[in-house]
Amino acid sequence: MAVDYAVIVVYLAGMLGMGWWGMRRAKSKSEFLVAGRRLGPAMYSGTMAAIVLGGASTIGGVGLGYKYGLSGAWMVFTIGLGLLALSVFFSARIARLKVYTVSDMLDLRYGGRAGVISGVVMWAYTLMLAVTSTIAYATIFDVLFDMHRTVAIILGGSIVVAYSTLGGMWSITLTDMVQFVVKTVGVLLLLLPIAVVKAGGFSEMKAKLPTEYFDPLGIGGETIFTYVLIYTFGMLIGQDIWQRVFTARSDRVARHGGTVAGTYCLVYALAGAVIGTAAKVLYPKLPNADDAFATIVKEELPMGVRGLVLAAALAAVMSTSSGALIACATVANNDIWSRLRGVTTRGDDHDEVRGNRAFILIMGVGVIGTAIALNNVVEALTVAYNLLVGGLLVPILGGLLWKRGTVHGALASVVVGGLAVIGLMATYGILANEPVYYGLLLSLAAYAIVSLATEPTDAAVLANWRERLAGRGAEEETAVAEPAPVAS
């Protein structure tokens, strides 16, 4: 394993080095939080694909393939569908708004007063997303170094916190681009063909497994519908995803670059399911389906290649973890802390960067501590997505699509949907489908009824909103750093 260890150590050192380099570029709030809004199509596509394809998509996607066969691709497939829908229908308008958070968008659309409540819901979602990604380090480092769970979480989490704190979105963008390349080579170009060959090819896989393993709907219609509701719609409204949209240098880049990333996700989904199906042929009696990825990597790959593929899994986890962490810190600082303090004026760029950097560090320590204390990753992720979709989907999409929606309707939708999801999870169970179904319906009803029962949004607010959607009227801050070239 010495060669494999060397590959991993070089990779981790490179992540820290890029964090240090990113610190030299992140001299303004815009540079620190949204990479100066200057990413070109190549870098935008790679980093967007990196953040949405995390540990759940890689390790969990292979596990679903092990358990259900090709239909196990549906979870990651619906993530890709959500990214495609966001890119085609909404990303251009989102990019033109020139805001930093989803709550900024809600305040702009409804005329204020929606920020703190929506910020709390979004903060809870991004926190749980960061926690679940951080927990995944334990699985990878256990395979690599036979490391204790707590030590693995602290080690992996500390590296992500370090480079995220140093350079903000610039560091995360640079590391994500490397992680995208590592994932592509490790999972698609190496692990996928090797797994299929080791399993005897598709004909041998079909001969050894039940026919339902090759049924595209074998996982079940209700499960697929739930994946669409949670993950496809979740992609439309998550702060971690929107913050990447804000990094695009133009609405054209956001649309076309996101479409490329979404298509990549569809390919990645099928690859994970095929790898899991091959693992089922090779190791039919694994006690836990999520062990399929680590087992096939450890047992079937040659020296060096094994290290690269494990680095790919580590890259998948790190990209989602860092994206969720900066989103969590951005929401905590800009949507909650600043608003509760009643801050109406901003300091200089140095103060803005220093404040956001401090929040990333604080949130990062909190994420590591929560990850150590928490055991059930699936439940934590389910709570996060249920709150996100049940509480924020309706007011966000309603604001983009229905001009009659009001701030009172938006607040009612967030409160009713969020509380309904929490209450229904307590009644039906965290992993039940009913909480998000009924919570979303109640959120929609509250939004429509209260909006129609209250005064329409002020005409001046709507006029300003339309100006911003058209790409006019946004005052962008000026970076104090020396001019940097546009990222390709």
Side-chain angles (χ1 to χ4, degrees), residues 51 122 125-126 129 238-244 323-324 327 385:
I51 187 176
M122 188 63 76
Y125 157 72
T126 53
L129 187 61
Q239 170 68 24
D240 52 323
I241 309 302
W242 278 41
Q243 201 156 343
R244 292 311 173 97
Y385 272 99

Side-chain angles (χ1 to χ4, degrees), residues 340-429:
L340 290 177
R341 291 171 59 213
V343 174
T344 56
T345 58
R346 298 290 186 183
D348 60 27
D349 287 323
H350 177 72
D351 290 337
E352 289 283 356
V353 171
R354 184 174 58 186
N356 282 289
R357 183 173 281 139
F359 264 85
I360 291 179
L361 180 59
I362 294 168
M363 292 296 108
V365 172
V367 164
I368 292 172
T370 306
I372 292 171
L374 200 63
N375 286 316
N376 198 314
V377 179
V378 175
E379 288 191 357
L381 195 60
T382 301
V383 170
Y385 272 99
N386 282 353
L387 280 173
L388 178 70
V389 174
L392 290 179
L393 178 67
V394 171
I396 292 172
L397 293 189
L400 290 169
L401 300 173
W402 190 40
K403 66 179 182 180
R404 185 61 180 82
T406 69
V407 65
H408 302 291
L411 289 171
S413 180
V414 173
V415 173
V416 170
L419 292 178
V421 163
I422 294 171
L424 290 166
M425 282 192 294
T427 302
Y428 288 99

Side-chain angles (χ1 to χ4, degrees), residues 449-468:
I449 292 170
V450 175
S451 290
L452 292 173
T454 53
E455 289 292 322
T457 303
D458 186 83
V461 172
L462 288 177
N464 181 51
W465 167 253
R466 286 191 292 269
E467 286 288 303
R468 294 288 287 268

Side-chain angles (χ1 to χ4, degrees), residues 41-319:
M43 188 167 284
Y44 179 86
S45 297
T47 57
M48 181 62 88
I51 187 176
V52 300
L53 295 174
S57 299
T58 304
I59 298 170
V62 171
L64 287 172
Y66 183 89
K67 190 173 182 180
Y68 297 106
L70 297 186
S71 67
W74 272 105
M75 184 188 77
V76 183
F77 201 83
T78 55
I79 290 173
L81 292 178
L83 186 52
L84 284 172
L86 175 71
S87 301
V88 172
F89 299 113
F90 300 109
S91 64
R93 285 186 283 177
I94 292 171
R96 286 195 294 264
L97 291 174
K98 294 292 190 290
V99 295
Y100 290 102
T101 68
V102 173
S103 294
D104 285 343
M105 168 263 167
L106 291 174
D107 279 354
L108 186 65
R109 164 60 181 82
Y110 295 111
R113 293 179 292 173
V116 173
I117 294 177
S118 62
V120 169
V121 175
M122 188 63 76
W123 175 79
Y125 157 72
T126 53
L127 177 69
M128 285 296 100
L129 187 61
V131 166
T132 55
S133 301
T134 304
I135 291 173
Y137 296 129
T139 301
I140 298 170
F141 282 114
D142 179 56
V143 174
L144 282 170
F145 308 116
D146 192 24
M147 188 177 291
H148 188 272
R149 177 181 182 276
T150 299
V151 177
I153 289 173
I154 293 173
L155 175 61
S158 297
I159 292 171
V160 170
V161 171
Y163 73 69
S164 300
T165 302
L166 285 172
M169 186 59 82
W170 265 124
S171 294
I172 292 170
T173 296
L174 294 169
T175 54
D176 276 1
M177 197 62 200
V178 174
Q179 289 158 357
F180 169 74
V181 173
V182 171
K183 279 192 288 192
T184 301
V185 174
V187 176
L188 297 185
L189 302 184
L190 293 176
L191 182 57
L192 175 61
I194 290 173
V196 172
V197 169
K198 291 284 188 178
F202 284 103
S203 58
E204 187 69 15
M205 290 162 63
K206 286 185 176 181
K208 289 187 175 181
L209 294 174
T211 55
E212 55 263 28
Y213 264 70
F214 301 92
D215 179 359
L217 303 179
I219 199 170
E222 184 179 355
T223 299
I224 294 171
F225 178 73
T226 302
Y227 284 159
V228 170
L229 200 61
I230 293 177
Y231 296 113
T232 301
F233 286 128
M235 287 294 106
L236 298 180
I237 58 175
Q239 170 68 24
D240 52 323
I241 309 302
W242 278 41
Q243 201 156 343
R244 292 311 173 97
V245 175
F246 301 151
T247 65
R249 73 168 182 237
S250 69
D251 53 11
R252 183 181 177 85
V253 168
R255 182 187 296 112
H256 295 294
T259 301
V260 171
T263 304
Y264 178 90
C265 291
L266 304 184
V267 175
Y268 200 88
L270 184 59
V274 171
I275 293 167
T277 304
K280 183 67 175 179
V281 173
L282 294 168
Y283 311 100
K285 297 187 182 298
L286 290 179
N288 187 346
D290 284 342
D291 293 336
F293 179 88
T295 301
I296 197 169
V297 169
K298 190 173 184 178
E299 301 296 333
E300 301 298 336
L301 299 187
M303 178 180 59
V305 173
R306 180 172 49 211
L308 183 59
V309 173
L310 286 171
L314 195 59
V317 175
M318 282 186 159
S319 57

